[in-house]
Structures are given as structure tokens and as C-alpha cells.
Amino acid sequence: MKLFAEPDDKVRLDVYLADETEYTRSYIKQLIDRGNVLLNGECPKAGTIVKKGDEIDVDPPEPFVAAEPDPTIPVDIIYEDGDIAVINKPQGLTVHPAPGNRSGTLVNALLARLGSLSAINGALRPGIVHRLDKNTSGVMVVAKNDKTHLSLSRQIADRTVTKKYLAIVDGHLKEDSGRIDAPIGRNPRDRKLMAVVPDGRRAITDYRRLETLAGHDLAEFHILTGRTHQIRVHAKYIGHPVTGDAEYGRGAVYGTCGQLLHSYSLTFAHPTTGEEMTFTASPPAIFEKVLRILRAKDGNDV
């Protein structure tokens, strides 16, 4: 797994990697001590401070065999060429295998559908440059070779990739637009979740209300940083969690099976041609269904 430090990252290496990966800080320290982590090509210490532009390679021992192709999982490919594939990921599909979940993921589907995938992130996460949560739908880009992977990773680290999301949130935003600038780190009560915490890493999210609904708002979110669960955590922080969010909000409503959060627009420079490319995808059926329900409700509920 290769990572590039973002401009505002000035934290300990073990803390940075614990936030950026699925591993605990203690396991990260073990990897560092065993030489499974390189910082700019050299073996670092756990307390080394990460600086802008640092190149970090994490090579943990694989706990199980490589992901297997699965042609039975449908893949909605928006665009494909020799370097990239742009996917419209459905809600409910996990992006890559992990302990306890070796099959039924987007990676399994991509291995069966695409001719090649980059190997930088290992045999369990081939081609994966960035992720969407299991119950977040929408546009994501996949790297078909290592050169492409490095280019896209650099763009993400340099914040030249534009990611915009649609969400239905509970309640009504106090302002029509605004910026949430609040640090995010692991929730001290539950390491599987994130939270706004004083010692977290800086996280910035811009938002604007698109439509006022019955008891909810339809909003656009633009993330300027890429923290885990960033929009969901920030939405909760300002008192308007994403509708349907079982971990940061009230859970299922109107037949939802997860948060009504959709990556609808992704802009980046093509790794080979340099051309700026923007890809969009419409929200899934359940998102549109809830919109119709809320629009149809009595205006007194607004």
C-alpha cells in the first residue's frame, strides 16, 4: 500500500497510518518495527513526523490469499480506457476484501471484468486508489496500472481531485451554505468509528442546501480533505446527520438500508493525457424514492 502525505499532515507516522488504514496503532507499530513500513524509501520510527509530500509504503504480511475474480457481481462502468476505469458503485457493495469478508466485493467483480489492475495496494486491494463506504454509492476511479495509480494518488494528496456528493440530511441546515472545519480522528469510545476530536487531523467540508424537504434537506457536500467517514462525521457534528445512517444517525427510515449519501461527481486529470475529466452518476433508486416521499409530504412538516 502506497500513501502520499497530504499538505496539512504533521502527525506521528503511527498515528497517521492508524487513521488512514484499517489497522490499529499497535499493529502499525509492529509493522514499523519489523521493517514493513518505509518512509521515503527508508525504515522510520513510529514517532517520526509525517511531512508534506512524504511517500509511505506499507507492506503488511497478507493474512490470507489474494482476492478471487467473481463474474457474478455486476459492475456499472461509466468509462474505461487503458489506464482507468470509472465505476458507479452501488449502495451495499464493499469496495475490497478484508478479514471476515473475502468475497462479494467490488474488487472481486473488477478482477473478473477488467483486463488488468494496479498492484501497488497489494493482492487484496488491486486498483483501489480511493474508497467509498459500503453504503455510500456513486462515482469512483480505479487504476489499471501502477503508473496511473501513482498519478491519481498524487492528485488526491495534492487536493487537485474534486469530489462532490449529494446527501439527504435530517433536519434543516441553519445556513444555505457553509464550511465545516473540524478535526477528525478515531472515536475514543469505538475504534471502528470516527469523530470530531481535538487531536484529530484537519478535515474540511463545504456544503450548500439544494432543496428544503419535509423535515430534511437535500444538500451538496464538497470534501477538501479525505478523512474516513468525513461527510457523515461532519454532518453529525453540525447536528444534521445523513438520513438513514445507522452509525452516525438515527438509522433506517423509509425503507433505507444505509446512509443516503451519493458520490455524484468526480473530477481529476487523466494520468496519461493530462486532460481534466469529470464523471457523474445519478443517485440510486432508494435515494430518489425517499426524495419523492419527502417532496410529497404535507408542507406543514417542512
Side-chain angles (χ1 to χ4, degrees), residues 138-160:
V139 184
M140 59 181 292
V141 62
V142 173
K144 299 180 72 174
N145 55 64
D146 291 356
K147 176 184 175 182
T148 294
H149 193 125
L150 292 174
S151 172
L152 292 171
S153 294
R154 280 288 186 191
Q155 291 182 55
I156 291 172
D158 291 341
R159 298 182 187 170
T160 58

Side-chain angles (χ1 to χ4, degrees), residues 91-107:
Q91 186 184 59
L93 182 65
T94 300
V95 169
H96 61 73
N101 186 30
R102 291 178 52 182
S103 61
T105 73
L106 177 63
V107 161

Side-chain angles (χ1 to χ4, degrees), residues 54-276:
D54 280 348
E55 185 174 315
I56 307 165
D57 290 283
V58 184
D59 185 24
E62 295 288 2
F64 38 73
V65 298
E68 293 289 338
D70 186 345
T72 67
I73 303 172
V75 184
D76 182 3
I77 297 179
I78 300 172
Y79 172 85
E80 181 183 1
D81 60 26
D83 294 312
I84 62 173
V86 180
I87 312 298
N88 181 15
K89 188 190 85 68
Q91 186 184 59
L93 182 65
T94 300
V95 169
H96 61 73
N101 186 30
R102 291 178 52 182
S103 61
T105 73
L106 177 63
V107 161
N108 299 108
L110 293 175
L111 287 169
R113 178 71 181 271
L114 303 181
S116 64
L117 290 169
S118 71
I120 286 177
N121 273 351
L124 294 176
R125 294 175 290 273
I128 302 303
V129 181
H130 67 115
R131 295 177 296 176
L132 294 177
D133 296 337
K134 176 181 178 180
N135 287 321
T136 297
S137 57
V139 184
M140 59 181 292
V141 62
V142 173
K144 299 180 72 174
N145 55 64
D146 291 356
K147 176 184 175 182
T148 294
H149 193 125
L150 292 174
S151 172
L152 292 171
S153 294
R154 280 288 186 191
Q155 291 182 55
I156 291 172
D158 291 341
R159 298 182 187 170
T160 58
V161 174
T162 301
K163 303 176 184 177
K164 294 183 178 181
Y165 295 73
L166 293 176
I168 299 175
V169 300
D170 292 346
H172 301 300
L173 299 165
K174 296 178 178 63
E175 306 290 340
D176 286 335
S177 63
R179 169 168 290 187
I180 307 165
D181 188 345
I184 292 177
R186 293 288 174 181
N187 188 323
R189 298 180 180 178
D190 186 345
R191 287 283 301 175
K192 294 180 181 179
L193 300 179
M194 310 300 287
V196 170
V197 291
D199 59 346
R201 294 167 59 206
R202 191 180 187 191
I204 305 172
T205 304
D206 287 341
Y207 68 89
R208 65 187 181 101
R209 186 192 349 254
L210 301 178
E211 186 177 350
T212 300
L213 305 164
H216 301 261
D217 279 343
L218 173 65
E220 176 191 86
F221 288 90
H222 172 206
I223 56 174
L224 283 78
T225 52
R227 309 305 176 213
T228 301
H229 300 173
Q230 179 170 320
I231 293 174
R232 299 164 64 195
V233 172
H234 272 173
K236 176 182 179 180
Y237 176 70
I238 62 172
H240 301 285
V242 177
T243 301
D245 195 329
E247 295 172 310
Y248 299 100
R250 294 184 297 162
V253 293
Y254 304 113
T256 58
C257 295
Q259 63 271 5
L260 294 176
L261 179 62
H262 176 73
S263 169
Y264 86 92
S265 177
L266 181 66
T267 301
F268 56 89
H270 191 281
T272 298
T273 68
E275 175 190 359
E276 182 177 273

